[in-house]
């Protein structure tokens, strides 16, 4: 029985409740107008934001901040970002990343192997090629030509263990991220790291980051190894501009995490930006797109997690998730915070 079934599933939207709040657990939507500002997905965002913040307080650009911020996560050992992450079902780690600035410039790489910092390759695609997206062998060739070292293709010890366990059954069984909600940890960085399930089950912990610099410009970045034990060649939303990441400097910046296929089918990040353009707050805009996914997926919504983090031009931030368990990190001049996202239903 998987984790979700053990916990049961309560669809609050079916009861006419579209937003669920637990006092002291759920972040109130920000209404501050603050810059600079950086926000990113999950608790890994705390360290990533700290690196981005150094750039922002030194007067740097949001673009430099979101690149340098998520590079920290690409260097960390975890299940779902960087070369130490879980492999695909053929035993290879394949990485996806995207970046977008305040002038609709964007770049991405997908199905990239043996390169440590896919986010920086994505930026080079944006800045040095006439293209937006490079994939697979071509992306790797480009990276090498740009001076990125070709790393070993060996799995990290944790990933090898997880893969060996997964091979025992070779089942493809998504586990959504709900583990951490039981802990009252608002504004507390010291709780559990993302899980790598020893039995070979997997979860998502894509790092997505959005920032507003002192010049009032927005940028965003996103980097992931995608779904662990995925089919070889599978791409998620993270390298797809408009799905996993979108920035419109007139409006706001949005990143997604979770089940990429379901973010892609609603052009998720772009859709959130369009709701903000129509006057919705970041959190409300995220909620409307998550509700659309919930409606499309029907009962299958219980088996996935999808989450968005958004900031607008005024420096307001917000997030919304399909299920409990999602948190996001925010850094402003007032300090670093880890906030629990609101959500539609509890699993
Ligand atoms: N959200 C990341 C992925 O689905 O690959």
């Amino acid at each position: 029985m998987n984790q979700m079934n053990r916990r049961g599933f309560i669809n609050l939207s079916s009861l006419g409740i579209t937003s669920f709040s637990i006092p002291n657990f759920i972040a109130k939507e920000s209404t501050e107008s603050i810059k600079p500002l950086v926000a990113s997905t999950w608790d890994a965002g705390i360290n990533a934001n700290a690196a981005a913040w150094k750039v922002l307080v030194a007067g740097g650009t949001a673009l430099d901040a979101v690149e340098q911020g998520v590079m920290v996560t690409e260097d960390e050992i975890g299940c779902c970002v960087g070369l130490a992450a879980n492999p695909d079902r053929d035993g290879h780690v394949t990485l996806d990343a995207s970046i977008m600035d305040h002038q609709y410039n964007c770049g991405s790489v997908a199905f990239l192997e043996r390169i440590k910092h896919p986010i920086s390759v994505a930026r080079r695609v944006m800045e040095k090629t006439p293209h937006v997206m490079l994939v697979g062998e071509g992306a790797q060739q480009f990276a090498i030509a740009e001076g990125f070292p070709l790393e070993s293709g060996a799995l990290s010890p944790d990933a090898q263990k997880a893969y060996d366990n997964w091979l025992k059954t070779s089942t493809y069984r998504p586990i959504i991220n709900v583990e951490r909600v039981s802990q009252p940890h608002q504004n507390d960085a010291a709780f559990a790291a993302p899980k790598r399930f020893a039995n070979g089950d997997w979860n998502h912990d894509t790092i997505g980051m959005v920032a507003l610099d002192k010049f009032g410009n927005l940028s965003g970045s996103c980097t992931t190894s995608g779904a662990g034990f995925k089919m070889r060649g599978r791409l998620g939303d993270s390298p797809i501009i408009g799905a996993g990441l979108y920035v419109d400097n007139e409006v706001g910046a949005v990143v997604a995490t979770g089940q990429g296929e379901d973010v892609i089918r609603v052009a998720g990040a772009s859709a959130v930006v369009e709701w903000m353009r129509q006057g919705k707050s970041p959190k409300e805009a995220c909620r409307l797109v998550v509700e659309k996914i919930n409606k499309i997926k029907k009962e299958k919504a219980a088996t996935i997690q999808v989450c968005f983090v958004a900031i607008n031009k005024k420096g307001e931030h917000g997030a919304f998730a399909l299920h409990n368990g999602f948190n996001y990190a925010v850094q402003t001049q007032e300090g670093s915070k880890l906030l629990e996202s609101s959500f539609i239903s509890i699993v």
Side-chain angles (χ1 to χ4, degrees), residues 17-78:
I17 301 168
T18 55
S19 175
F20 187 80
S21 290
I22 303 171
N24 302 323
F25 279 65
I26 304 299
K28 283 199 170 59
E29 184 165 27
S30 82
T31 50
E32 319 123 277
S33 292
I34 289 176
K35 66 183 181 195
L37 160 82
V38 58
S40 51
T41 56
W42 304 107
D43 47 338
I46 294 273
N47 288 343
N49 283 358
W53 186 248
K54 279 188 193 154
V55 175
L56 292 171
V57 288
T61 65
L63 182 65
D64 285 338
V66 298
E67 180 190 5
Q68 289 179 38
V70 302
M71 283 173 74
V72 169
T73 319
E74 288 177 341
D75 276 335
E76 286 174 349
I77 295 184

Short mmCIF file of all heavy atoms in Angstrom, two decimals, residues 17-78:
data_model
loop_
_atom_site.label_atom_id
_atom_site.label_comp_id
_atom_site.label_asym_id
_atom_site.label_seq_id
_atom_site.Cartn_x
_atom_site.Cartn_y
_atom_site.Cartn_z
N ILE A 17 -14.85 23.19 -0.60
CA ILE A 17 -13.80 23.94 0.09
C ILE A 17 -12.59 23.96 -0.82
O ILE A 17 -12.05 22.92 -1.18
CB ILE A 17 -13.44 23.26 1.43
CG1 ILE A 17 -14.69 23.18 2.31
CG2 ILE A 17 -12.30 23.99 2.11
CD1 ILE A 17 -14.51 22.29 3.51
N THR A 18 -12.19 25.13 -1.25
CA THR A 18 -11.11 25.18 -2.24
C THR A 18 -9.80 25.64 -1.65
O THR A 18 -8.78 25.60 -2.29
CB THR A 18 -11.48 26.14 -3.39
OG1 THR A 18 -11.82 27.38 -2.84
CG2 THR A 18 -12.63 25.58 -4.19
N SER A 19 -9.80 26.06 -0.43
CA SER A 19 -8.54 26.48 0.18
C SER A 19 -8.59 26.08 1.65
O SER A 19 -9.55 26.38 2.35
CB SER A 19 -8.37 27.99 0.05
OG SER A 19 -7.23 28.40 0.74
N PHE A 20 -7.56 25.39 2.10
CA PHE A 20 -7.59 24.83 3.44
C PHE A 20 -6.52 25.50 4.27
O PHE A 20 -5.39 25.63 3.85
CB PHE A 20 -7.33 23.33 3.33
CG PHE A 20 -7.48 22.60 4.64
CD1 PHE A 20 -8.72 22.27 5.11
CD2 PHE A 20 -6.35 22.28 5.37
CE1 PHE A 20 -8.84 21.59 6.31
CE2 PHE A 20 -6.48 21.60 6.57
CZ PHE A 20 -7.74 21.25 7.04
N SER A 21 -6.88 25.97 5.43
CA SER A 21 -5.90 26.67 6.26
C SER A 21 -5.78 26.04 7.64
O SER A 21 -6.78 25.78 8.29
CB SER A 21 -6.31 28.13 6.44
OG SER A 21 -6.17 28.81 5.24
N ILE A 22 -4.56 25.76 8.04
CA ILE A 22 -4.30 25.30 9.39
C ILE A 22 -3.55 26.41 10.09
O ILE A 22 -2.42 26.72 9.70
CB ILE A 22 -3.44 24.02 9.40
CG1 ILE A 22 -4.11 22.94 8.57
CG2 ILE A 22 -3.18 23.55 10.81
CD1 ILE A 22 -3.23 21.72 8.35
N PRO A 23 -4.14 27.04 11.12
CA PRO A 23 -3.43 28.14 11.77
C PRO A 23 -2.03 27.69 12.20
O PRO A 23 -1.85 26.58 12.67
CB PRO A 23 -4.31 28.45 12.99
CG PRO A 23 -5.65 27.96 12.62
CD PRO A 23 -5.44 26.78 11.71
N ASN A 24 -1.07 28.53 12.03
CA ASN A 24 0.33 28.31 12.40
C ASN A 24 1.06 27.38 11.46
O ASN A 24 2.25 27.20 11.59
CB ASN A 24 0.47 27.79 13.84
CG ASN A 24 -0.14 28.76 14.82
OD1 ASN A 24 -0.04 29.96 14.62
ND2 ASN A 24 -0.79 28.25 15.83
N PHE A 25 0.36 26.69 10.57
CA PHE A 25 1.04 25.83 9.62
C PHE A 25 1.12 26.49 8.25
O PHE A 25 2.08 26.31 7.53
CB PHE A 25 0.27 24.51 9.42
CG PHE A 25 0.52 23.50 10.48
CD1 PHE A 25 0.14 23.74 11.79
CD2 PHE A 25 1.13 22.31 10.16
CE1 PHE A 25 0.37 22.79 12.76
CE2 PHE A 25 1.37 21.36 11.13
CZ PHE A 25 0.99 21.61 12.44
N ILE A 26 0.09 27.20 7.89
CA ILE A 26 -0.02 27.69 6.53
C ILE A 26 0.38 29.16 6.48
O ILE A 26 -0.10 29.96 7.25
CB ILE A 26 -1.47 27.53 6.02
CG1 ILE A 26 -1.92 26.08 6.13
CG2 ILE A 26 -1.60 28.03 4.59
CD1 ILE A 26 -1.11 25.11 5.31
N ALA A 27 1.22 29.47 5.50
CA ALA A 27 1.67 30.85 5.38
C ALA A 27 0.53 31.74 4.93
O ALA A 27 -0.22 31.39 4.04
CB ALA A 27 2.79 30.92 4.37
N LYS A 28 0.38 32.87 5.55
CA LYS A 28 -0.51 33.90 5.03
C LYS A 28 0.15 34.46 3.77
O LYS A 28 1.36 34.58 3.70
CB LYS A 28 -0.67 35.02 6.05
CG LYS A 28 -1.59 34.68 7.18
CD LYS A 28 -2.04 35.98 7.87
CE LYS A 28 -3.16 35.72 8.86
NZ LYS A 28 -2.80 34.78 9.90
N GLU A 29 -0.69 34.79 2.82
CA GLU A 29 -0.14 35.37 1.61
C GLU A 29 0.52 36.71 1.94
O GLU A 29 -0.01 37.50 2.72
CB GLU A 29 -1.26 35.60 0.62
CG GLU A 29 -0.74 36.12 -0.69
CD GLU A 29 -1.79 35.99 -1.76
OE1 GLU A 29 -2.98 36.00 -1.41
OE2 GLU A 29 -1.42 35.87 -2.91
N SER A 30 1.69 36.94 1.33
CA SER A 30 2.37 38.20 1.61
C SER A 30 1.65 39.34 0.92
O SER A 30 1.11 39.19 -0.16
CB SER A 30 3.81 38.13 1.11
OG SER A 30 3.85 38.40 -0.27
N THR A 31 1.63 40.47 1.55
CA THR A 31 1.12 41.67 0.88
C THR A 31 2.17 42.76 0.91
O THR A 31 1.91 43.88 0.53
CB THR A 31 -0.15 42.18 1.59
OG1 THR A 31 0.11 42.28 2.97
CG2 THR A 31 -1.33 41.25 1.34
N GLU A 32 3.37 42.40 1.38
CA GLU A 32 4.44 43.40 1.43
C GLU A 32 4.87 43.74 0.01
O GLU A 32 4.81 42.90 -0.88
CB GLU A 32 5.67 42.86 2.16
CG GLU A 32 5.40 42.04 3.37
CD GLU A 32 6.01 40.64 3.27
OE1 GLU A 32 5.38 39.78 2.67
OE2 GLU A 32 7.11 40.46 3.81
N SER A 33 5.29 44.93 -0.20
CA SER A 33 5.91 45.28 -1.46
C SER A 33 7.40 45.41 -1.19
O SER A 33 7.85 46.38 -0.61
CB SER A 33 5.37 46.60 -1.99
OG SER A 33 4.04 46.42 -2.36
N ILE A 34 8.13 44.40 -1.60
CA ILE A 34 9.52 44.31 -1.17
C ILE A 34 10.42 44.03 -2.37
O ILE A 34 10.10 43.19 -3.20
CB ILE A 34 9.68 43.17 -0.14
CG1 ILE A 34 9.03 43.56 1.17
CG2 ILE A 34 11.14 42.84 0.06
CD1 ILE A 34 9.07 42.47 2.19
N LYS A 35 11.53 44.70 -2.43
CA LYS A 35 12.59 44.28 -3.31
C LYS A 35 13.94 44.68 -2.68
O LYS A 35 13.98 45.68 -1.97
CB LYS A 35 12.43 44.85 -4.72
CG LYS A 35 12.57 46.35 -4.84
CD LYS A 35 12.32 46.81 -6.25
CE LYS A 35 12.50 48.30 -6.30
NZ LYS A 35 12.00 48.98 -7.42
N PRO A 36 14.97 43.87 -2.87
CA PRO A 36 14.92 42.62 -3.63
C PRO A 36 14.23 41.49 -2.86
O PRO A 36 13.99 41.59 -1.65
CB PRO A 36 16.39 42.30 -3.87
CG PRO A 36 17.16 43.02 -2.81
CD PRO A 36 16.32 44.18 -2.38
N LEU A 37 13.97 40.44 -3.59
CA LEU A 37 13.23 39.29 -3.05
C LEU A 37 13.63 38.06 -3.85
O LEU A 37 13.81 38.14 -5.06
CB LEU A 37 11.74 39.55 -3.25
CG LEU A 37 10.78 38.38 -3.22
CD1 LEU A 37 10.45 38.01 -1.77
CD2 LEU A 37 9.48 38.69 -3.94
N VAL A 38 13.77 36.93 -3.16
CA VAL A 38 13.95 35.67 -3.87
C VAL A 38 13.08 34.61 -3.21
O VAL A 38 12.94 34.58 -1.99
CB VAL A 38 15.44 35.24 -3.94
CG1 VAL A 38 16.07 35.09 -2.56
CG2 VAL A 38 15.60 33.95 -4.74
N ALA A 39 12.44 33.78 -4.02
CA ALA A 39 11.58 32.71 -3.50
C ALA A 39 11.88 31.44 -4.28
O ALA A 39 12.13 31.49 -5.49
CB ALA A 39 10.11 33.09 -3.65
N SER A 40 11.86 30.31 -3.58
CA SER A 40 12.12 29.05 -4.29
C SER A 40 11.41 27.89 -3.63
O SER A 40 10.93 27.98 -2.50
CB SER A 40 13.62 28.79 -4.41
OG SER A 40 14.22 28.90 -3.16
N THR A 41 11.35 26.79 -4.38
CA THR A 41 10.55 25.63 -3.97
C THR A 41 11.27 24.79 -2.91
O THR A 41 12.49 24.63 -2.96
CB THR A 41 10.27 24.73 -5.19
OG1 THR A 41 11.52 24.37 -5.79
CG2 THR A 41 9.41 25.44 -6.21
N TRP A 42 10.48 24.26 -2.01
CA TRP A 42 10.93 23.28 -1.01
C TRP A 42 11.98 23.87 -0.06
O TRP A 42 12.46 24.99 -0.24
CB TRP A 42 11.48 22.01 -1.68
CG TRP A 42 10.53 21.34 -2.62
CD1 TRP A 42 10.59 21.32 -3.98
CD2 TRP A 42 9.36 20.59 -2.27
NE1 TRP A 42 9.56 20.60 -4.50
CE2 TRP A 42 8.79 20.14 -3.48
CE3 TRP A 42 8.75 20.24 -1.06
CZ2 TRP A 42 7.63 19.37 -3.51
CZ3 TRP A 42 7.59 19.47 -1.10
CH2 TRP A 42 7.05 19.05 -2.30
N ASP A 43 12.35 23.05 0.91
CA ASP A 43 13.32 23.48 1.93
C ASP A 43 14.74 23.61 1.37
O ASP A 43 15.56 24.34 1.93
CB ASP A 43 13.29 22.56 3.14
CG ASP A 43 13.32 21.10 2.77
OD1 ASP A 43 12.94 20.78 1.62
OD2 ASP A 43 13.71 20.28 3.60
N ALA A 44 15.02 22.94 0.27
CA ALA A 44 16.32 23.14 -0.39
C ALA A 44 16.48 24.59 -0.80
O ALA A 44 17.60 25.08 -0.98
CB ALA A 44 16.45 22.23 -1.61
N GLY A 45 15.37 25.28 -0.92
CA GLY A 45 15.39 26.68 -1.30
C GLY A 45 16.04 27.58 -0.27
O GLY A 45 16.48 28.69 -0.60
N ILE A 46 16.13 27.14 0.97
CA ILE A 46 16.77 27.96 2.01
C ILE A 46 18.24 28.24 1.64
O ILE A 46 18.68 29.39 1.61
CB ILE A 46 16.70 27.25 3.39
CG1 ILE A 46 15.26 27.14 3.86
CG2 ILE A 46 17.61 27.93 4.40
CD1 ILE A 46 14.76 28.32 4.62
N ASN A 47 18.98 27.17 1.35
CA ASN A 47 20.40 27.34 0.98
C ASN A 47 20.53 28.03 -0.37
O ASN A 47 21.42 28.85 -0.57
CB ASN A 47 21.09 25.98 0.90
CG ASN A 47 21.31 25.36 2.26
OD1 ASN A 47 21.23 26.05 3.27
ND2 ASN A 47 21.55 24.06 2.28
N ALA A 48 19.66 27.65 -1.28
CA ALA A 48 19.73 28.24 -2.62
C ALA A 48 19.43 29.75 -2.55
O ALA A 48 20.12 30.55 -3.19
CB ALA A 48 18.72 27.54 -3.54
N ASN A 49 18.43 30.11 -1.76
CA ASN A 49 18.10 31.54 -1.62
C ASN A 49 19.26 32.32 -1.01
O ASN A 49 19.50 33.47 -1.37
CB ASN A 49 16.88 31.72 -0.70
CG ASN A 49 15.58 31.38 -1.40
OD1 ASN A 49 15.56 31.05 -2.58
ND2 ASN A 49 14.48 31.46 -0.66
N ALA A 50 19.97 31.68 -0.07
CA ALA A 50 21.08 32.38 0.58
C ALA A 50 22.13 32.78 -0.45
O ALA A 50 22.69 33.89 -0.41
CB ALA A 50 21.69 31.50 1.67
N ALA A 51 22.39 31.88 -1.41
CA ALA A 51 23.38 32.20 -2.46
C ALA A 51 22.82 33.28 -3.39
O ALA A 51 23.55 34.20 -3.79
CB ALA A 51 23.72 30.94 -3.25
N ALA A 52 21.56 33.18 -3.71
CA ALA A 52 20.93 34.19 -4.58
C ALA A 52 20.92 35.55 -3.88
O ALA A 52 21.12 36.59 -4.51
CB ALA A 52 19.52 33.75 -4.94
N TRP A 53 20.68 35.50 -2.58
CA TRP A 53 20.57 36.75 -1.81
C TRP A 53 21.88 37.52 -1.83
O TRP A 53 21.89 38.76 -1.91
CB TRP A 53 20.13 36.43 -0.38
CG TRP A 53 19.86 37.66 0.41
CD1 TRP A 53 20.58 38.13 1.47
CD2 TRP A 53 18.80 38.60 0.20
NE1 TRP A 53 20.03 39.30 1.93
CE2 TRP A 53 18.94 39.61 1.16
CE3 TRP A 53 17.76 38.67 -0.72
CZ2 TRP A 53 18.08 40.70 1.24
CZ3 TRP A 53 16.89 39.75 -0.66
CH2 TRP A 53 17.05 40.75 0.32
N LYS A 54 23.00 36.77 -1.75
CA LYS A 54 24.32 37.44 -1.80
C LYS A 54 24.44 38.27 -3.07
O LYS A 54 24.97 39.39 -3.06
CB LYS A 54 25.44 36.40 -1.78
CG LYS A 54 25.75 35.88 -0.40
CD LYS A 54 26.99 35.01 -0.44
CE LYS A 54 27.12 34.24 0.87
NZ LYS A 54 27.85 33.00 0.76
N VAL A 55 23.95 37.73 -4.17
CA VAL A 55 23.99 38.46 -5.44
C VAL A 55 23.09 39.68 -5.37
O VAL A 55 23.47 40.79 -5.75
CB VAL A 55 23.55 37.53 -6.60
CG1 VAL A 55 23.48 38.31 -7.91
CG2 VAL A 55 24.49 36.33 -6.71
N LEU A 56 21.89 39.49 -4.84
CA LEU A 56 20.90 40.58 -4.85
C LEU A 56 21.32 41.73 -3.93
O LEU A 56 21.16 42.89 -4.30
CB LEU A 56 19.53 40.03 -4.43
CG LEU A 56 18.87 39.07 -5.44
CD1 LEU A 56 17.64 38.41 -4.83
CD2 LEU A 56 18.52 39.77 -6.75
N VAL A 57 21.81 41.40 -2.74
CA VAL A 57 22.18 42.51 -1.82
C VAL A 57 23.44 43.23 -2.27
O VAL A 57 23.66 44.37 -1.90
CB VAL A 57 22.35 42.07 -0.34
CG1 VAL A 57 21.04 41.76 0.29
CG2 VAL A 57 23.30 40.94 -0.20
N ALA A 58 24.23 42.56 -3.10
CA ALA A 58 25.41 43.23 -3.66
C ALA A 58 25.03 44.10 -4.85
O ALA A 58 25.91 44.67 -5.50
CB ALA A 58 26.45 42.19 -4.06
N GLY A 59 23.74 44.15 -5.14
CA GLY A 59 23.28 45.00 -6.25
C GLY A 59 23.26 44.28 -7.58
O GLY A 59 23.11 44.89 -8.63
N GLY A 60 23.39 42.94 -7.53
CA GLY A 60 23.40 42.15 -8.76
C GLY A 60 22.00 41.97 -9.35
O GLY A 60 21.00 42.39 -8.77
N THR A 61 21.99 41.33 -10.50
CA THR A 61 20.72 41.15 -11.21
C THR A 61 19.99 39.90 -10.75
O THR A 61 20.59 38.93 -10.26
CB THR A 61 20.97 41.02 -12.73
OG1 THR A 61 21.72 39.81 -12.96
CG2 THR A 61 21.72 42.21 -13.27
N ALA A 62 18.68 39.92 -10.96
CA ALA A 62 17.87 38.74 -10.66
C ALA A 62 18.34 37.54 -11.47
O ALA A 62 18.32 36.40 -11.00
CB ALA A 62 16.39 39.04 -10.93
N LEU A 63 18.78 37.79 -12.69
CA LEU A 63 19.25 36.69 -13.54
C LEU A 63 20.45 35.99 -12.92
O LEU A 63 20.48 34.76 -12.81
CB LEU A 63 19.59 37.20 -14.94
CG LEU A 63 20.05 36.12 -15.92
CD1 LEU A 63 18.93 35.13 -16.21
CD2 LEU A 63 20.56 36.75 -17.21
N ASP A 64 21.45 36.77 -12.50
CA ASP A 64 22.61 36.15 -11.84
C ASP A 64 22.19 35.45 -10.55
O ASP A 64 22.69 34.38 -10.22
CB ASP A 64 23.66 37.22 -11.51
CG ASP A 64 24.42 37.68 -12.75
OD1 ASP A 64 24.45 36.95 -13.75
OD2 ASP A 64 24.98 38.80 -12.72
N ALA A 65 21.26 36.06 -9.84
CA ALA A 65 20.82 35.47 -8.56
C ALA A 65 20.18 34.10 -8.76
O ALA A 65 20.48 33.15 -8.05
CB ALA A 65 19.85 36.42 -7.86
N VAL A 66 19.28 34.00 -9.74
CA VAL A 66 18.56 32.71 -9.90
C VAL A 66 19.47 31.63 -10.47
O VAL A 66 19.25 30.44 -10.23
CB VAL A 66 17.27 32.85 -10.73
CG1 VAL A 66 16.28 33.78 -10.05
CG2 VAL A 66 17.54 33.27 -12.18
N GLU A 67 20.50 32.04 -11.20
CA GLU A 67 21.46 31.02 -11.68
C GLU A 67 22.31 30.53 -10.50
O GLU A 67 22.39 29.34 -10.22
CB GLU A 67 22.37 31.57 -12.78
CG GLU A 67 23.37 30.51 -13.25
CD GLU A 67 24.45 31.04 -14.18
OE1 GLU A 67 24.52 32.26 -14.40
OE2 GLU A 67 25.25 30.20 -14.66
N GLN A 68 22.90 31.49 -9.79
CA GLN A 68 23.82 31.09 -8.71
C GLN A 68 23.07 30.42 -7.55
O GLN A 68 23.62 29.57 -6.87
CB GLN A 68 24.63 32.30 -8.25
CG GLN A 68 25.63 32.69 -9.33
CD GLN A 68 26.47 33.91 -8.98
OE1 GLN A 68 26.86 34.09 -7.85
NE2 GLN A 68 26.73 34.74 -9.97
N GLY A 69 21.84 30.80 -7.37
CA GLY A 69 21.04 30.19 -6.31
C GLY A 69 20.83 28.70 -6.53
O GLY A 69 21.16 27.86 -5.68
N VAL A 70 20.33 28.33 -7.69
CA VAL A 70 20.01 26.91 -7.88
C VAL A 70 21.25 26.06 -8.14
O VAL A 70 21.20 24.83 -7.99
CB VAL A 70 18.94 26.68 -8.98
CG1 VAL A 70 17.66 27.43 -8.66
CG2 VAL A 70 19.46 27.04 -10.37
N MET A 71 22.37 26.70 -8.48
CA MET A 71 23.63 25.94 -8.60
C MET A 71 23.97 25.27 -7.26
O MET A 71 24.57 24.20 -7.23
CB MET A 71 24.77 26.87 -9.02
CG MET A 71 24.74 27.20 -10.50
SD MET A 71 25.98 28.45 -10.93
CE MET A 71 27.49 27.46 -10.85
N VAL A 72 23.60 25.92 -6.17
CA VAL A 72 23.85 25.34 -4.84
C VAL A 72 23.13 24.00 -4.72
O VAL A 72 23.70 22.99 -4.27
CB VAL A 72 23.36 26.31 -3.74
CG1 VAL A 72 23.35 25.64 -2.38
CG2 VAL A 72 24.24 27.56 -3.72
N THR A 73 21.89 23.96 -5.15
CA THR A 73 21.12 22.71 -5.06
C THR A 73 21.67 21.66 -6.03
O THR A 73 21.68 20.46 -5.73
CB THR A 73 19.64 22.99 -5.34
OG1 THR A 73 19.28 24.21 -4.71
CG2 THR A 73 18.75 21.87 -4.83
N GLU A 74 22.12 22.11 -7.18
CA GLU A 74 22.72 21.15 -8.13
C GLU A 74 23.96 20.49 -7.54
O GLU A 74 24.31 19.37 -7.91
CB GLU A 74 23.08 21.87 -9.45
CG GLU A 74 21.85 22.23 -10.29
CD GLU A 74 22.19 23.01 -11.55
OE1 GLU A 74 23.30 23.58 -11.63
OE2 GLU A 74 21.34 23.06 -12.46
N ASP A 75 24.62 21.17 -6.62
CA ASP A 75 25.83 20.62 -5.97
C ASP A 75 25.50 19.74 -4.77
O ASP A 75 26.36 19.00 -4.29
CB ASP A 75 26.73 21.76 -5.48
CG ASP A 75 27.63 22.29 -6.58
OD1 ASP A 75 27.92 21.53 -7.52
OD2 ASP A 75 28.02 23.47 -6.49
N GLU A 76 24.28 19.86 -4.25
CA GLU A 76 23.93 19.10 -3.04
C GLU A 76 23.58 17.66 -3.39
O GLU A 76 23.19 17.37 -4.52
CB GLU A 76 22.75 19.77 -2.32
CG GLU A 76 23.17 21.05 -1.60
CD GLU A 76 21.98 21.82 -1.00
OE1 GLU A 76 20.82 21.47 -1.30
OE2 GLU A 76 22.26 22.77 -0.25
N ILE A 77 23.67 16.79 -2.39
CA ILE A 77 23.29 15.40 -2.62
C ILE A 77 21.81 15.24 -2.26
O ILE A 77 21.41 15.50 -1.13
CB ILE A 77 24.17 14.45 -1.78
CG1 ILE A 77 25.60 14.57 -2.28
CG2 ILE A 77 23.65 13.02 -1.88
CD1 ILE A 77 26.58 13.64 -1.63
N GLY A 78 21.02 14.88 -3.23
CA GLY A 78 19.58 14.71 -3.00
C GLY A 78 19.01 13.81 -4.07
O GLY A 78 19.69 13.42 -5.01
#
